[in-house]
Structure formats: structure tokens, C-alpha cells
Amino acid sequence: MGSPNNRPTRIFSSHHHNTPPCTRSHQIGALLLVASTFFLTRLFDHPFSTCPPSSLNHDHTSQNVVHFSDGGYLSWPQMGYGTHLSLKIYVYEEDEIDGLKELLRGREGKISADACVKGQWGTQVKIHRLLLQSRFRTRKKGEANLFFVPAYAKCVRMMGGLNDKEINHTYVKALSQMPYFRRSGGRDHIFVFPSGAGAHLFRSWATYINRSIILSPEGDRTDKKDTSSFNTWKDIIIPGNVEDGMTKRGAAMAQPLPLSKRKYLANYLGRAQGKVGRLKLIELAKQYPDKECVPVILSDQAEFPFQNVIDYTQISIKWPSTRIGLELLEYLESIPDEDVERMIAAGRQVRCLWVYAPELELCSAMQGIMWELQRKVRQFHQSAETFWLHNRTIVNRNMVEFSSWKPPMPLP
């Protein structure tokens, strides 16, 4: 290609010899006029729709409204979310990518999904299973908005299937087999890390998946790490796993008692782990065994699921972790029973959003997650190693077309 100074001169003829010459400024002005005319014409040819959201799609399972069994509802804001779900998610198969089978079943392939679906880390299995059955799943990578990378790494690690070093190596190996991950720098890929360790379970997460969408129930802290891997602007807080027997989808394990008949109003499930707040609670419990209390949030930096639609002041109390002591007990004791009942009733309305149920349910954790994922969809994908030409061909740094990218591919 020649330099601008070597380009042939464009000659413009004119019927009027006194017409001033066409200068560079005239050319730029003409281009701006053409561009403005084009966009204004498009605007008036396609006016903004004034139809209510309900008239756009009559499938209530995909509208931005979540219905409760008592007739109430929550709605995701249209700005940033849209009026109805229109996602296409590709779910990687375990035999498709070298390394995924180990992340799902361990080095010997003996760990089952059923063994991993229970307890705190069950979300990694439930989300995977529900996406496999989802009507938003696509089997064509080329039409996918998002890509789901299944892994039960926390469960596999706890059951001895892989150690920390093996998990790190296997994740890197798997990512190097994914051309679409390379294309977007991972921005359209979804990972689930269902425990307090967060993405730190993958030691090199900050190098390889720092732009990806991370689903995690805990965004305020990371066990034994100085920083959290959660980014509030790109990641999603999901509801923690609740055993099916505790929801309407399973056989009832217990029926709630009326507030007036309850002897205990709080339950602590977990380990102290040397954390100051937890140790203070245990000490208070020893000093005041007859005290009753209502659930309060004592994690100052906690983030919660679906904060765009749930007002947590209606269903919970958040108390500074630095003020755990008699002041807290006196405050809890002073709350009138009718206020407690009101908060409990409000919580019952939205609790369906903590249930990992199939899409047929009008209110579920997956409905909420899908809406949050839709907000992450981009029309255009690129990374520091992705380039494109005038004919829209995507190429890498070596000018190899995307369709010809072969694994293993270099990663950052």
C-alpha cells in the first residue's frame, strides 16, 4: 500500500469555472452531512416502540416479570435487560474439551455429579444440569451469546479428585482448547465457583479469566486470601444451594412454626475459622443462652443476589460487624413481633428466587440468573489478540482467520 502522498489525485470537473475548489474541509463537511442524513433517516423510518412490554411477548416465562404464587411479582428493569429473555447459551460438553472431564469427575473419573449436588457446592451441578435442559441452550457456537464452562472443581478437590496444582494446570489446558474464549478474551464465558474460595480455587484466575463472568454466592470475601475475586461490574452473585427437601420441590423436611411458638429464632451453620465476628457471636451465645434473636447480616461487605429487583431492607437487617455485643442483643430484643412477622412475610414472597427449579417455574433462581446473564451480552467480541479486516473477517495476530484457529492456542 502506498503512502497518502503517493495516492493518485482525484479530479473533479465543474460546469462553472468560478466555483471555488473542493478543499479537504469541504470533503469532511460533506461526509458529516451524509452521515447525519443517514442516521436521521433511520431514526424516522424506525420510531421507538410505545407498546407496553406485555404486548411484545405473551410467554410469561420469558418476560421481565417474575410471578409469585400469591399473585405478586417482581420485574427486572427494561433498561439494560430488555423486555423478554432472548439468550443463546452454548454449554461445553465434557468430551469436547481436553481437561473438562477431569474438572467434572477427577483424575480417575470416579466422582459423580450426584455426589457433588449436595451441600454448599451444589449450585455448580444444578446450574449445569438446568442449562443442559434449557430452551435457551444452543448447540451452535456461532450463534451463541454466551458460553458456559462446566466444572465441579470445588467438589472434586474436597473429594480428593484433584489437588490445587492439578486444578490450575487442568483449567489452563482446557481454556487453550477454546477458540471462542480466545476470540473474546473470555468476556462471554461463564464460570461457577460456589464456595468462599471463589475463583481463587483456580490459582491463575487473575491471569486467564479476569474478564470472564463468574457466578458465586459469596462476593464479599475470599477464604484465606487478601482480595476477593468477585467484581461487582461483571460477575453475578447467585443464591447459595438449598437442599431440595427444604423447598417446595422436595418432600417437606419441616413446617415453620408460628413466631409466637418459636423457642429459637436463629441458627448458626458454619465454622468460626478464627474470624472475630463469629467468635464474638459464639461468646455471646455462651453468656446469654436464653436470648432470642432474628437473622441479621453481619458481613459488612456482603453482596446479595438480584439486588436490582429485591429491596433487602424489607426482608433482613444488616448490623455493623464492629458492634457485635450487648447493643446488638438489646436491639434485637426490642423489635416488635409484628415487625418481625412483616419481614418474614416479605421474605416468603421472594424466597422462590432461591430455588433452583426448571424453567417451567415462573419464579426461580435460574430465572433470576438468566436475566442477569442477559445484561452481560455483547453484540461485539474482541480482545487484545483479536483483529478484523474491511470485509469483517476476524483474524489473529498472525492474520489467520478465526475459522482456522487450531488448539492449543496461546493464552495471556
Side-chain angles (χ1 to χ4, degrees):
M1 296 177 62
S3 66
N5 294 331
N6 295 331
R7 291 178 180 171
T9 303
R10 295 175 183 251
I11 302 175
F12 297 90
S13 63
S14 174
H15 295 289
H16 299 280
H17 297 286
N18 61 347
T19 301
C22 182
T23 65
R24 185 73 171 174
S25 297
H26 286 88
Q27 295 176 13
I28 293 174
L31 286 174
L32 289 174
L33 179 60
V34 171
S36 301
T37 303
F38 172 77
F39 285 114
L40 285 172
T41 302
R42 295 282 291 180
L43 178 64
F44 291 118
D45 283 347
H46 302 277
F48 296 109
S49 173
T50 57
C51 298
S54 60
S55 68
L56 298 177
N57 192 316
H58 297 285
D59 182 359
H60 295 291
T61 63
S62 62
Q63 285 185 10
N64 66 342
V65 177
V66 172
H67 297 267
F68 303 138
S69 58
D70 64 354
Y73 67 90
L74 283 177
S75 62
W76 265 256
Q78 291 186 23
M79 182 176 294
Y81 290 91
T83 58
H84 64 282
L85 288 173
S86 58
L87 283 171
K88 291 185 178 180
I89 301 177
Y90 183 85
V91 182
Y92 286 104
E93 300 281 358
E94 64 178 78
D95 296 325
E96 173 186 1
I97 301 294
D98 187 15
L100 282 190
K101 185 175 292 186
E102 290 92 329
L103 290 172
L104 289 166
R105 307 188 184 282
R107 72 178 74 85
E108 298 178 2
K110 295 182 178 180
I111 298 174
S112 68
D114 288 340
C116 294
V117 77
K118 300 178 181 179
Q120 179 183 4
W121 314 306
T123 51
Q124 61 194 344
V125 180
K126 289 183 177 180
I127 292 175
H128 182 201
R129 286 176 170 175
L130 290 169
L131 285 177
L132 288 175
Q133 302 167 2
S134 174
R135 62 193 173 91
F136 298 111
R137 179 190 180 190
T138 178
R139 298 179 186 274
K140 299 177 181 178
K141 294 189 184 75
E143 68 177 22
N145 304 123
L146 299 168
F147 298 80
F148 181 78
V149 182
Y152 309 154
K154 179 66 177 181
C155 175
V156 166
R157 178 182 181 273
M158 296 303 293
M159 298 184 70
L162 291 175
N163 59 39
D164 290 344
K165 184 177 180 180
E166 290 172 325
I167 289 173
N168 193 77
H169 171 76
T170 307
Y171 262 117
V172 174
K173 179 175 66 173
L175 295 177
S176 71
Q177 311 296 312
M178 301 176 181
Y180 282 87
F181 182 89
R182 175 70 168 179
R183 181 191 67 169
S184 67
R187 291 174 176 86
D188 52 2
H189 280 58
I190 307 164
F191 298 82
V192 179
F193 291 99
S195 72
H200 284 280
L201 190 64
F202 172 22
R203 288 180 175 179
S204 299
W205 74 268
T207 300
Y208 298 105
I209 63 171
N210 63 324
R211 296 177 181 86
S212 300
I213 302 167
I214 294 173
L215 309 186
S216 177
E218 300 184 42
D220 57 318
R221 62 180 178 82
T222 300
D223 288 345
K224 302 179 182 179
K225 302 292 180 183
D226 294 331
T227 59
S228 172
S229 57
F230 179 80
N231 183 323
T232 191
W233 302 112
K234 70 176 183 66
D235 301 327
I236 299 172
I237 291 292
I238 60 174
N241 184 42
V242 178
E243 295 293 340
D244 290 340
M246 297 295 292
T247 72
K248 64 180 180 180
R249 295 201 53 75
M253 295 173 64
Q255 294 294 332
L257 293 172
L259 182 61
S260 60
K261 296 183 178 181
R262 295 185 188 184
K263 184 178 180 180
Y264 305 105
L265 297 180
N267 176 43
Y268 178 78
L269 177 63
R271 297 169 291 170
Q273 293 181 307
K275 297 184 182 296
V276 176
R278 300 181 190 182
L279 292 172
K280 287 182 179 179
L281 285 174
I282 293 173
E283 184 60 30
L284 281 172
K286 292 178 180 178
Q287 293 181 33
Y288 303 94
D290 59 333
K291 287 288 182 181
E292 295 180 355
C293 65
V294 297
V296 297
I297 298 164
L298 298 172
S299 299
D300 297 350
Q301 300 177 6
E303 303 230 15
F304 310 106
F306 316 132
Q307 292 181 155
N308 286 332
V309 294
I310 295 177
D311 181 355
Y312 279 85
T313 64
Q314 297 182 8
I315 62 175
S316 64
I317 296 169
K318 184 179 180 184
W319 186 269
S321 64
T322 54
R323 302 182 72 93
I324 297 175
L326 287 177
E327 180 185 12
L328 170 60
L329 292 178
E330 291 171 357
Y331 166 72
L332 295 174
E333 192 174 41
S334 71
I335 301 175
D337 281 358
E338 55 266 27
D339 289 339
V340 177
E341 291 280 13
R342 171 182 51 79
M343 295 172 65
I344 291 175
R348 289 194 186 110
Q349 278 197 319
V350 299
R351 64 184 177 184
C352 52
L353 286 170
W354 272 259
V355 179
Y356 285 89
E359 289 174 2
L360 292 178
E361 298 286 343
L362 297 182
C363 175
S364 70
M366 282 304 294
Q367 283 284 334
I369 291 171
M370 287 296 195
W371 277 109
E372 293 300 326
L373 285 174
Q374 178 151 296
R375 197 182 186 197
K376 309 296 182 182
V377 171
R378 297 184 176 199
Q379 175 65 28
F380 184 70
H381 302 285
Q382 65 96 22
S383 70
E385 297 301 321
T386 304
F387 307 88
W388 55 92
L389 307 179
H390 72 285
N391 58 0
R392 304 181 64 195
T393 300
I394 303 297
V395 298
N396 63 13
R397 189 174 294 275
N398 296 321
M399 308 306 289
V400 178
E401 291 190 19
F402 175 69
S403 59
S404 298
W405 292 8
K406 303 297 182 185
M409 290 160 292
L411 293 172

